[in-house]
Amino acid sequence: QVKLVESGGGLVQPGGSLKISCTATGISVGLRTMGWYRQAPGKQRELVAGIAMSGTTNYADAVKGRFTISRDNSRNTLSLQMRSLKPEDTAVYYCSTGRPPTYWGQGTQVTVSS
């Protein structure tokens, strides 16, 4: 059974940093395409960052240069380091596997506000 559990969300001031993580069970993150999506109130869920089995990464234009996706195969975790956060980054962030995604985590709230 595949399970993805996000953690690390919270409230951060504009310009601040935050790292969120996703612990996977039932799959190996190093053998799957993994991704982070986000959904803000009233908006569609959108891809933020992805990492292929090869390690190739891709980012939404809105987060390029500020966010970094990574994985730790030994701990079977996926992470998203977020820097220079903006209020428009406020959303529920979801971990996923597959492209298109076949499994989702429950999400973690990230709020950027002063």
Side-chain angles (χ1 to χ4, degrees):
Q1 183 180 0
V2 178
K3 190 173 183 182
L4 304 172
V5 180
E6 299 93 339
S7 60
L11 174 64
V12 62
Q13 292 188 339
S17 298
L18 194 67
K19 184 175 182 179
I20 56 177
S21 297
C22 171
T23 300
T25 54
I27 59 166
S28 296
V29 298
L31 298 179
R32 296 283 191 108
T33 294
M34 303 294 297
W36 286 101
Y37 287 71
R38 68 185 181 187
Q39 188 166 18
K43 294 189 177 182
Q44 288 189 331
R45 193 172 297 189
E46 61 178 358
L47 176 66
V48 175
I51 184 166
M53 283 195 298
S54 64
T56 301
T57 58
N58 64 285
Y59 297 92
D61 288 343
V63 306
K64 278 181 182 176
R66 299 189 298 121
F67 290 12
T68 303
I69 188 171
S70 62
R71 65 188 178 205
D72 185 333
N73 293 344
S74 65
R75 297 186 177 186
N76 213 30
T77 58
L78 181 75
S79 297
L80 186 68
Q81 176 69 56
M82 302 179 288
R83 297 182 176 88
S84 301
L85 282 160
K86 305 174 182 180
E88 51 264 43
D89 294 318
T90 295
V92 178
Y93 285 70
Y94 297 91
C95 173
S96 71
T97 181
R99 188 71 58 86
T102 51
Y103 294 96
W104 297 93
Q106 84 288 349
T108 187
Q109 176 70 47
V110 173
T111 302
V112 184
S113 175
S114 55

